[in-house]
Amino acid sequence: MNRKIVEPANIAISNLLPTKSRSLYDIAYNRFKKWCAEKNVQVYSENVLLAYFSENAKNYKSSTLWAQYSMVKSCLIIYDNIDISKFPKLIAFLKRTGDGYQVKKSKILTKSEIDRFLSSVDDKEFLMIKVGLFLGIAGACRTDELVNLTVDDIEDENVVRSQLARIPWKKIPSVVASYLKLPDVACYTGHCLRRSLATLLADAGVDITTIKRHAGWKSTTVAEGYVENSIENKTKIANQVLV
């Protein structure tokens, strides 16, 4: 095939996957390919996909299986021109894995809790936690984006850039919850910051389209799943009704 056609086509294909999470897609796809190689599989039929996800279902919860399915599906369409979304038995199997399963969502930090933490902690001890809290919520950063943050991502020379590596990104929510003596500290996971952001924006009356754009979500359903029906929002609505 003409090289002048192949190269632009390959570049276009490489840009079809989400830029921020492309590495995760490649990992999921390569894991599936490795499994197929070990099983001496050359044709990606519905039975092959059923066997693969059935084996994975022994070790992973339903939400993880669906995430893996989504990434493998995208890669198979792009790299192999195979659309596994047309495999009804596979879809039915994945739905069955979720029967009786309830997703455990991370707790959120309310605006008053965030304000209380920022205004009361000692900067000498918690400065980098405060910086991480601000970046995580205001910046709508995913956990992997925070973990991979480097000094090259910081433009403000006044920021203590050399301290970035010391920030325990995944533990920031639990550190804040522990300091504020909130119950169930372990429930403030790495997803807490993005869930808190989505909820704060929704409580402030920001429309779902703006929330999706700021946080990088394409699906309205996914974005809405991050919004917690907070006590503060319920109180605000109740006050509006009463007034």
Side-chain angles (χ1 to χ4, degrees):
M1 187 177 292
N2 192 320
R3 184 176 179 181
K4 292 182 178 180
I5 296 177
V6 173
E7 290 183 356
N10 289 335
I11 294 175
I13 290 174
S14 67
N15 292 328
L16 292 176
L17 295 175
T19 303
K20 293 183 178 180
S21 54
R22 178 175 176 176
S23 61
L24 297 177
Y25 280 72
D26 288 337
I27 290 173
Y29 177 67
N30 290 332
R31 185 184 296 124
F32 170 69
K33 295 276 286 187
K34 180 180 179 181
W35 180 88
C36 288
E38 292 173 350
K39 304 293 183 182
N40 198 27
V41 171
Q42 297 180 348
V43 178
Y44 305 141
S45 66
E46 183 169 20
N47 284 338
V48 168
L49 271 298
L50 274 169
Y52 177 72
F53 282 102
S54 176
E55 188 172 304
N56 277 270
K58 298 175 183 179
N59 301 313
Y60 298 107
K61 57 187 180 182
S62 177
S63 58
T64 302
L65 287 177
W66 276 109
Q68 292 295 310
Y69 161 79
S70 178
M71 290 186 283
V72 170
K73 178 188 68 174
S74 296
C75 289
L76 283 175
I77 290 176
I78 294 171
Y79 299 133
D80 302 284
N81 200 29
I82 297 174
D83 186 3
I84 65 174
S85 67
K86 297 179 180 180
F87 291 170
K89 290 184 288 185
L90 174 61
I91 303 300
F93 169 77
L94 291 173
K95 288 181 178 179
R96 286 293 301 274
T97 62
D99 289 351
Y101 175 76
Q102 293 185 342
V103 178
K104 295 181 179 179
K105 295 183 177 180
S106 172
K107 285 196 170 186
I108 67 164
L109 293 168
T110 65
K111 186 177 185 303
S112 60
E113 290 167 347
I114 294 171
D115 290 341
R116 183 152 56 95
F117 177 80
L118 294 175
S119 62
S120 62
V121 297
D122 179 14
D123 282 352
K124 184 176 181 181
E125 182 179 359
F126 290 95
L127 177 60
M128 299 316 297
I129 296 296
K130 292 172 70 172
V131 171
L133 181 62
F134 175 80
L135 290 175
I137 292 182
C141 296
R142 295 177 173 84
T143 302
D144 62 315
E145 292 174 330
L146 291 171
V147 171
N148 295 325
L149 191 66
T150 68
V151 295
D152 295 329
D153 298 309
I154 304 299
E155 296 180 0
D156 189 348
E157 294 296 334
N158 293 322
V159 175
V160 187
R161 302 195 304 172
S162 61
Q163 301 297 315
L164 284 176
R166 295 175 51 192
I167 299 178
W169 296 108
K170 293 183 179 181
K171 296 182 179 180
I172 288 175
S174 60
V175 170
V176 175
S178 178
Y179 177 87
L180 296 176
K181 294 181 170 37
L182 301 178
D184 303 321
V185 171
C187 293
Y188 291 84
T189 67
H191 283 294
C192 171
L193 300 183
R194 279 171 69 78
R195 293 203 71 224
S196 298
L197 159 77
T199 304
L200 289 172
L201 291 177
D203 287 354
V206 177
D207 63 270
I208 194 66
T209 300
T210 303
I211 294 176
K212 286 165 55 180
R213 184 181 299 118
H214 182 60
W217 291 306
K218 294 183 179 180
S219 167
T220 297
T221 302
V222 171
E224 290 176 341
Y226 272 75
V227 177
E228 181 79 4
N229 194 4
S230 65
I231 297 299
E232 289 185 359
N233 191 46
K234 290 181 179 180
T235 302
K236 184 187 299 183
I237 295 174
N239 288 336
Q240 290 175 345
V241 172
L242 294 174
V243 173

PDB file of all heavy atoms in Angstrom, residues 151-168:
ATOM      1  N   VAL A 151       7.438  18.405  38.040  1.00  0.00           N
ATOM      2  CA  VAL A 151       7.751  19.829  38.150  1.00  0.00           C
ATOM      3  C   VAL A 151       7.534  20.550  36.832  1.00  0.00           C
ATOM      4  O   VAL A 151       7.324  21.761  36.805  1.00  0.00           O
ATOM      5  CB  VAL A 151       9.208  20.040  38.624  1.00  0.00           C
ATOM      6  CG1 VAL A 151       9.382  19.519  40.030  1.00  0.00           C
ATOM      7  CG2 VAL A 151      10.191  19.350  37.687  1.00  0.00           C
ATOM      8  N   ASP A 152       7.576  19.817  35.728  1.00  0.00           N
ATOM      9  CA  ASP A 152       7.373  20.444  34.419  1.00  0.00           C
ATOM     10  C   ASP A 152       5.937  20.908  34.229  1.00  0.00           C
ATOM     11  O   ASP A 152       5.649  21.717  33.351  1.00  0.00           O
ATOM     12  CB  ASP A 152       7.735  19.466  33.295  1.00  0.00           C
ATOM     13  CG  ASP A 152       9.220  19.121  33.299  1.00  0.00           C
ATOM     14  OD1 ASP A 152      10.016  19.986  33.702  1.00  0.00           O
ATOM     15  OD2 ASP A 152       9.569  17.994  32.906  1.00  0.00           O
ATOM     16  N   ASP A 153       5.017  20.375  35.049  1.00  0.00           N
ATOM     17  CA  ASP A 153       3.610  20.765  34.945  1.00  0.00           C
ATOM     18  C   ASP A 153       3.297  22.014  35.763  1.00  0.00           C
ATOM     19  O   ASP A 153       2.180  22.525  35.718  1.00  0.00           O
ATOM     20  CB  ASP A 153       2.713  19.615  35.435  1.00  0.00           C
ATOM     21  CG  ASP A 153       2.887  18.368  34.592  1.00  0.00           C
ATOM     22  OD1 ASP A 153       2.786  18.495  33.370  1.00  0.00           O
ATOM     23  OD2 ASP A 153       3.129  17.290  35.157  1.00  0.00           O
ATOM     24  N   ILE A 154       4.258  22.500  36.527  1.00  0.00           N
ATOM     25  CA  ILE A 154       4.051  23.669  37.382  1.00  0.00           C
ATOM     26  C   ILE A 154       4.741  24.875  36.767  1.00  0.00           C
ATOM     27  O   ILE A 154       5.947  24.873  36.525  1.00  0.00           O
ATOM     28  CB  ILE A 154       4.611  23.421  38.808  1.00  0.00           C
ATOM     29  CG1 ILE A 154       3.977  22.168  39.405  1.00  0.00           C
ATOM     30  CG2 ILE A 154       4.360  24.619  39.688  1.00  0.00           C
ATOM     31  CD1 ILE A 154       2.482  22.239  39.555  1.00  0.00           C
ATOM     32  N   GLU A 155       3.968  25.916  36.508  1.00  0.00           N
ATOM     33  CA  GLU A 155       4.524  27.121  35.889  1.00  0.00           C
ATOM     34  C   GLU A 155       4.882  28.182  36.927  1.00  0.00           C
ATOM     35  O   GLU A 155       5.777  28.988  36.712  1.00  0.00           O
ATOM     36  CB  GLU A 155       3.520  27.705  34.888  1.00  0.00           C
ATOM     37  CG  GLU A 155       3.244  26.780  33.708  1.00  0.00           C
ATOM     38  CD  GLU A 155       2.254  27.381  32.731  1.00  0.00           C
ATOM     39  OE1 GLU A 155       1.801  28.520  32.994  1.00  0.00           O
ATOM     40  OE2 GLU A 155       1.927  26.725  31.736  1.00  0.00           O
ATOM     41  N   ASP A 156       4.169  28.190  38.046  1.00  0.00           N
ATOM     42  CA  ASP A 156       4.386  29.208  39.065  1.00  0.00           C
ATOM     43  C   ASP A 156       5.671  28.902  39.836  1.00  0.00           C
ATOM     44  O   ASP A 156       5.759  27.912  40.545  1.00  0.00           O
ATOM     45  CB  ASP A 156       3.192  29.240  40.033  1.00  0.00           C
ATOM     46  CG  ASP A 156       3.265  30.429  40.992  1.00  0.00           C
ATOM     47  OD1 ASP A 156       4.322  31.071  41.064  1.00  0.00           O
ATOM     48  OD2 ASP A 156       2.259  30.709  41.657  1.00  0.00           O
ATOM     49  N   GLU A 157       6.649  29.738  39.686  1.00  0.00           N
ATOM     50  CA  GLU A 157       7.939  29.514  40.342  1.00  0.00           C
ATOM     51  C   GLU A 157       7.839  29.634  41.861  1.00  0.00           C
ATOM     52  O   GLU A 157       8.732  29.218  42.598  1.00  0.00           O
ATOM     53  CB  GLU A 157       8.970  30.521  39.826  1.00  0.00           C
ATOM     54  CG  GLU A 157       9.317  30.359  38.362  1.00  0.00           C
ATOM     55  CD  GLU A 157       9.985  29.025  38.070  1.00  0.00           C
ATOM     56  OE1 GLU A 157      10.607  28.476  38.987  1.00  0.00           O
ATOM     57  OE2 GLU A 157       9.857  28.528  36.937  1.00  0.00           O
ATOM     58  N   ASN A 158       6.769  30.233  42.355  1.00  0.00           N
ATOM     59  CA  ASN A 158       6.617  30.402  43.804  1.00  0.00           C
ATOM     60  C   ASN A 158       6.160  29.116  44.481  1.00  0.00           C
ATOM     61  O   ASN A 158       6.209  28.988  45.692  1.00  0.00           O
ATOM     62  CB  ASN A 158       5.611  31.526  44.103  1.00  0.00           C
ATOM     63  CG  ASN A 158       6.158  32.882  43.666  1.00  0.00           C
ATOM     64  OD1 ASN A 158       7.343  33.157  43.816  1.00  0.00           O
ATOM     65  ND2 ASN A 158       5.298  33.719  43.111  1.00  0.00           N
ATOM     66  N   VAL A 159       5.647  28.185  43.675  1.00  0.00           N
ATOM     67  CA  VAL A 159       5.227  26.914  44.237  1.00  0.00           C
ATOM     68  C   VAL A 159       6.466  26.102  44.599  1.00  0.00           C
ATOM     69  O   VAL A 159       7.454  26.107  43.880  1.00  0.00           O
ATOM     70  CB  VAL A 159       4.373  26.129  43.219  1.00  0.00           C
ATOM     71  CG1 VAL A 159       4.033  24.741  43.757  1.00  0.00           C
ATOM     72  CG2 VAL A 159       3.112  26.902  42.891  1.00  0.00           C
ATOM     73  N   VAL A 160       6.386  25.400  45.722  1.00  0.00           N
ATOM     74  CA  VAL A 160       7.532  24.600  46.164  1.00  0.00           C
ATOM     75  C   VAL A 160       7.568  23.343  45.289  1.00  0.00           C
ATOM     76  O   VAL A 160       7.105  22.269  45.657  1.00  0.00           O
ATOM     77  CB  VAL A 160       7.393  24.215  47.649  1.00  0.00           C
ATOM     78  CG1 VAL A 160       8.679  23.539  48.132  1.00  0.00           C
ATOM     79  CG2 VAL A 160       7.096  25.435  48.492  1.00  0.00           C
ATOM     80  N   ARG A 161       8.142  23.489  44.092  1.00  0.00           N
ATOM     81  CA  ARG A 161       8.072  22.424  43.100  1.00  0.00           C
ATOM     82  C   ARG A 161       8.840  21.181  43.519  1.00  0.00           C
ATOM     83  O   ARG A 161       8.470  20.062  43.184  1.00  0.00           O
ATOM     84  CB  ARG A 161       8.586  22.948  41.762  1.00  0.00           C
ATOM     85  CG  ARG A 161       7.810  24.172  41.263  1.00  0.00           C
ATOM     86  CD  ARG A 161       8.101  24.431  39.797  1.00  0.00           C
ATOM     87  NE  ARG A 161       9.536  24.602  39.546  1.00  0.00           N
ATOM     88  CZ  ARG A 161      10.044  24.682  38.327  1.00  0.00           C
ATOM     89  NH1 ARG A 161       9.263  24.585  37.280  1.00  0.00           N
ATOM     90  NH2 ARG A 161      11.346  24.851  38.151  1.00  0.00           N
ATOM     91  N   SER A 162       9.896  21.369  44.250  1.00  0.00           N
ATOM     92  CA  SER A 162      10.721  20.223  44.636  1.00  0.00           C
ATOM     93  C   SER A 162      10.005  19.310  45.626  1.00  0.00           C
ATOM     94  O   SER A 162      10.455  18.197  45.880  1.00  0.00           O
ATOM     95  CB  SER A 162      12.034  20.716  45.256  1.00  0.00           C
ATOM     96  OG  SER A 162      11.771  21.478  46.428  1.00  0.00           O
ATOM     97  N   GLN A 163       8.887  19.781  46.175  1.00  0.00           N
ATOM     98  CA  GLN A 163       8.167  18.992  47.172  1.00  0.00           C
ATOM     99  C   GLN A 163       7.069  18.125  46.552  1.00  0.00           C
ATOM    100  O   GLN A 163       6.436  17.342  47.263  1.00  0.00           O
ATOM    101  CB  GLN A 163       7.527  19.937  48.208  1.00  0.00           C
ATOM    102  CG  GLN A 163       8.514  20.818  48.948  1.00  0.00           C
ATOM    103  CD  GLN A 163       9.486  20.015  49.778  1.00  0.00           C
ATOM    104  OE1 GLN A 163       9.073  19.083  50.469  1.00  0.00           O
ATOM    105  NE2 GLN A 163      10.760  20.343  49.705  1.00  0.00           N
ATOM    106  N   LEU A 164       6.839  18.255  45.250  1.00  0.00           N
ATOM    107  CA  LEU A 164       5.733  17.537  44.620  1.00  0.00           C
ATOM    108  C   LEU A 164       5.814  16.035  44.849  1.00  0.00           C
ATOM    109  O   LEU A 164       4.804  15.369  45.075  1.00  0.00           O
ATOM    110  CB  LEU A 164       5.700  17.828  43.114  1.00  0.00           C
ATOM    111  CG  LEU A 164       5.143  19.193  42.694  1.00  0.00           C
ATOM    112  CD1 LEU A 164       5.282  19.363  41.191  1.00  0.00           C
ATOM    113  CD2 LEU A 164       3.701  19.339  43.117  1.00  0.00           C
ATOM    114  N   ALA A 165       7.016  15.507  44.770  1.00  0.00           N
ATOM    115  CA  ALA A 165       7.181  14.062  44.900  1.00  0.00           C
ATOM    116  C   ALA A 165       6.819  13.566  46.297  1.00  0.00           C
ATOM    117  O   ALA A 165       6.583  12.373  46.492  1.00  0.00           O
ATOM    118  CB  ALA A 165       8.624  13.676  44.573  1.00  0.00           C
ATOM    119  N   ARG A 166       6.770  14.472  47.252  1.00  0.00           N
ATOM    120  CA  ARG A 166       6.487  14.082  48.631  1.00  0.00           C
ATOM    121  C   ARG A 166       4.990  14.033  48.933  1.00  0.00           C
ATOM    122  O   ARG A 166       4.583  13.594  50.000  1.00  0.00           O
ATOM    123  CB  ARG A 166       7.163  15.059  49.598  1.00  0.00           C
ATOM    124  CG  ARG A 166       8.685  15.026  49.544  1.00  0.00           C
ATOM    125  CD  ARG A 166       9.276  16.098  50.445  1.00  0.00           C
ATOM    126  NE  ARG A 166       8.719  16.061  51.780  1.00  0.00           N
ATOM    127  CZ  ARG A 166       8.892  17.013  52.692  1.00  0.00           C
ATOM    128  NH1 ARG A 166       9.574  18.099  52.379  1.00  0.00           N
ATOM    129  NH2 ARG A 166       8.361  16.900  53.880  1.00  0.00           N
ATOM    130  N   ILE A 167       4.169  14.495  48.002  1.00  0.00           N
ATOM    131  CA  ILE A 167       2.734  14.531  48.260  1.00  0.00           C
ATOM    132  C   ILE A 167       2.139  13.120  48.135  1.00  0.00           C
ATOM    133  O   ILE A 167       2.259  12.482  47.093  1.00  0.00           O
ATOM    134  CB  ILE A 167       2.018  15.460  47.268  1.00  0.00           C
ATOM    135  CG1 ILE A 167       2.548  16.889  47.405  1.00  0.00           C
ATOM    136  CG2 ILE A 167       0.505  15.448  47.506  1.00  0.00           C
ATOM    137  CD1 ILE A 167       1.923  17.874  46.430  1.00  0.00           C
ATOM    138  N   PRO A 168       1.498  12.617  49.185  1.00  0.00           N
ATOM    139  CA  PRO A 168       0.860  11.284  49.114  1.00  0.00           C
ATOM    140  C   PRO A 168      -0.497  11.400  48.436  1.00  0.00           C
ATOM    141  O   PRO A 168      -1.553  11.363  49.069  1.00  0.00           O
ATOM    142  CB  PRO A 168       0.718  10.903  50.598  1.00  0.00           C
ATOM    143  CG  PRO A 168       0.533  12.223  51.294  1.00  0.00           C
ATOM    144  CD  PRO A 168       1.367  13.217  50.519  1.00  0.00           C
TER     145      PRO A 168
END
